[in-house]
Amino acid sequence: MNLLSVQGTGAIAVIVLFFICLVIVHVTKLALLGYRAARRKKAPPEPQPTTPPEPAAEPIYYIVEKKKKRVKSEYSDPKRISFK
């Protein structure tokens, strides 16, 4: 009637379930990999018409001001605080 014990049936069920999950995970990963590769393989963009190069522009010079030191603020004498 029953060729395997309950533990044997459970062990075979666990092994079968493991292989089913393993196959599902790998198929999903391979499908995702193929989907990403297919999205990257788009038609190459049309070449833009070439424009004649612009004449060399004059260099641009910027005037940079030197940072000035900040004047230290003067602090008043400390006040005495008493806790009651």
Side-chain angles (χ1 to χ4, degrees):
M1 307 270 175
N2 207 355
L3 299 176
L4 293 175
S5 64
V6 175
Q7 291 87 1
T9 307
I12 290 177
V14 167
I15 292 171
V16 169
L17 186 64
F18 174 75
F19 282 114
I20 290 172
C21 290
L22 188 74
V23 168
I24 290 173
V25 167
H26 282 85
V27 166
T28 305
K29 283 192 172 234
L30 288 174
L32 194 68
L33 186 69
Y35 177 72
R36 286 182 184 159
R39 286 190 54 146
R40 282 193 206 128
K41 280 189 176 179
K42 298 225 174 186
E46 297 177 10
Q48 296 178 349
T50 57
T51 57
E54 295 182 16
E58 298 263 339
I60 299 174
Y61 297 99
Y62 295 98
I63 298 174
V64 180
E65 292 184 18
K66 187 175 181 181
K67 287 187 177 180
K68 296 177 183 174
K69 285 189 174 181
R70 197 182 297 172
V71 179
K72 291 185 179 179
S73 61
E74 296 293 326
Y75 295 107
S76 62
D77 293 332
K79 296 179 183 177
R80 180 174 288 259
I81 300 173
S82 60
F83 297 100
K84 294 182 181 181

